Amino acid sequence: MRFRHPDGSTVHLAYCTNVHPAESLGGVLAQLRDHCEPVRRRLGRDRLGIGLWLAADAARALDSDPSALRALRAELDRRGLEVVTLNGFPYEGFGAEEVKYRVYRPDWADPERLEHTTALARVLAGLLPDDVTEGSISTLPLAWRTAAHDTVPHEKALRTLAERLDALEELTGRSIRIGLEPEPGCVVETTHDALAPLSAIAHHRIGICVDTCHLATSFEDPHTALDAFTAAGVPVVKSQLSAALHAEHPHLPEVRTALAAFDEPRFLHQTRTATAAGLRGTDDLGEALGGDTLPDASPWRAHFHVPLHAAPAAPLTSTLPVLKAALTRMVGGPHPLTRHLEVETYTWQALPPELRPRGRTQLADGIAAELTLARDLLTDLGLKELP
């Protein structure tokens, strides 16, 4: 979906396909047929943007075979789909029964992360619509915090990537940028954590991906965070529009019971609370619920991407207000801070059983409802939806 900003530039809105697990190129093609095109039809659109997630095997297949890449581009066109952004964070196995800490490997100290991201950039350059010259890729925020204490290897790899992206633009005329995606528990968890390495790299192709669920989980104020990036000259390459799980009164038994329904085995649900001494947290929701590990005098937020249009039932809610504030700052001003927006609710099948979609039809309805909400927020900010 495309929108005209009041300054005349085009803002792209997509939804991320990591909600549809697929490891192979064949699986990706099936996603387009079984999920993405039905969502487009529900929205009554001739064209729908998707934030494509390509697992390592699929990325290698496309990067090594120009005919396969052309075939994917043709299939996108045939189904009324377009790609301007990729989710390069998960490497493989995102649809596994247990993902947890695996999603942070390989990290940016491992040469495979550099090679994978380089392959994604080449693929994206070949998938961009004919009238679009700029693409974006979100990526791991260096490493999980216990995996590395020295960020020099990470920064060296990102500088090498920036040089490769410069060469790619010279070759193709397509500008691909990379956004580190701060996430709780990682080396880069907050705005403050991001500023030092990104300032050290100091390259216009390497910037930030603002995930509004992660921002909220870390209790960051969106305006303060985005102002800090602007002041430091760090580009906001893209933003993932998402909402975290919020518990206002975590000391109450009924609140803990409600939270426990979201403690599931597939994904890590880092949980945070803001105290007078600073941010406190656990790596997972179950750990927070299991005793007095986390102070419960103040609200808790958990890294659980809940559907944008459907906040959990009381006594829980979501951090949708943080998303709205971030979006206002990012695209509500005289010029957009970013032109690539991606709805990223990958946890539909991890919701408590009674909230999960039953089959493809309900999932497509839910994704369409999220995109409708995002569309309405953008038009309320003065952007005009384009055909």
Side-chain angles (χ1 to χ4, degrees):
M1 299 169 75
R2 298 186 184 193
F3 297 81
R4 180 74 69 216
H5 189 275
D7 75 348
S9 63
T10 300
V11 173
H12 294 265
L13 173 66
Y15 90 89
C16 186
T17 64
N18 62 354
V19 65
H20 314 304
E23 298 292 315
S24 67
L25 180 53
V28 171
L29 294 171
Q31 287 177 348
L32 306 185
R33 178 193 67 221
D34 296 340
H35 299 289
C36 303
E37 186 177 9
V39 170
R40 178 182 66 76
R41 292 186 182 281
R42 276 165 176 74
L43 291 166
R45 304 286 304 171
D46 292 332
R47 174 174 54 188
L48 176 67
I50 57 171
L52 203 57
W53 174 62
L54 297 171
D57 284 349
R60 277 192 291 266
L62 290 165
D63 187 40
S64 63
D65 185 352
S67 64
L69 184 58
R70 287 193 297 270
L72 175 58
R73 171 65 189 277
E75 187 70 0
L76 289 166
D77 290 343
R78 188 168 77 86
R79 299 195 180 279
L81 306 169
E82 65 178 13
V83 175
V84 304
T85 188
L86 300 180
N87 185 335
F89 195 140
Y91 177 77
E92 61 186 0
F94 201 61
E97 290 185 5
E98 182 177 328
V99 178
K100 299 290 185 181
Y101 295 95
R102 289 172 50 192
V103 76
Y104 307 106
R105 299 193 298 266
D107 64 32
W108 275 101
D110 187 328
E112 181 50 36
R113 175 61 68 171
L114 173 61
E115 296 310 315
H116 174 60
T117 310
T118 302
L120 291 176
R122 288 192 291 255
V123 168
L124 181 56
L127 293 180
L128 289 177
D130 292 340
D131 61 344
V132 175
T133 58
E134 184 176 292
S136 62
I137 302 173
S138 48
T139 190
L140 177 76
L142 302 186
W144 184 253
R145 69 178 186 280
T146 57
H149 301 286
D150 179 9
T151 61
V152 171
H154 307 143
E155 294 166 11
K156 182 179 179 182
L158 287 166
R159 287 193 189 95
T160 299
L161 177 65
E163 293 170 359
R164 293 179 180 181
L165 297 177
D166 285 342
L168 182 65
E169 183 174 16
E170 288 184 14
L171 181 66
T172 66
R174 303 298 177 88
S175 174
I176 307 299
R177 298 194 298 167
I178 307 297
L180 300 184
E181 182 185 333
E183 176 165 316
C186 290
V187 171
V188 174
E189 172 167 346
T190 64
T191 302
H192 176 77
D193 298 333
L195 291 177
L198 289 174
S199 298
I201 296 164
H203 197 290
H204 70 282
R205 296 199 191 278
I206 311 295
I208 204 77
C209 168
V210 176
D211 184 303
T212 57
C213 169
H214 302 172
L215 193 75
T217 301
S218 295
F219 286 87
E220 290 202 74
D221 174 70
H223 289 272
T224 302
L226 290 161
D227 286 349
F229 289 131
T230 301
V234 172
V236 181
V237 171
K238 67 184 280 189
S239 177
Q240 288 172 326
L241 306 182
S242 52
L245 191 62
H246 180 95
E248 186 69 18
H249 302 292
H251 65 285
L252 296 176
E254 60 269 28
V255 175
R256 290 192 172 234
T257 298
L259 282 171
F262 288 84
D263 179 27
E264 54 82 38
R266 178 177 292 182
F267 301 111
L268 208 58
H269 301 297
Q270 303 93 313
T271 305
R272 298 289 184 266
T273 187
T275 72
L279 204 62
R280 294 278 303 277
T282 60
D283 283 358
D284 215 345
L285 181 56
E287 183 185 351
L289 292 169
D292 57 1
T293 307
L294 199 62
D296 60 7
S298 299
W300 286 3
R301 289 177 178 172
H303 173 216
F304 194 118
H305 290 221
V306 296
L308 303 187
H309 68 293
L316 304 178
T317 188
S318 81
T319 60
L320 185 62
V322 176
L323 183 160
K324 291 179 177 179
L327 197 60
T328 298
R329 179 67 181 88
M330 286 189 289
V331 301
H335 303 287
L337 298 184
T338 185
R339 289 186 287 273
H340 290 180
L341 306 172
E342 177 184 68
V343 171
E344 197 215 12
T345 304
Y346 60 83
T347 43
W348 282 94
Q349 299 302 336
L351 290 166
E354 67 276 10
L355 301 179
R356 292 176 197 164
R358 293 186 295 276
R360 294 176 186 169
T361 299
Q362 284 195 358
L363 178 59
D365 289 344
I367 293 170
E370 288 193 293
L371 286 166
T372 298
L373 181 147
R375 179 191 65 195
D376 291 346
L377 292 177
L378 291 172
T379 56
D380 287 348
L381 289 170
L383 281 73
K384 179 182 178 182
E385 187 176 6
L386 297 174

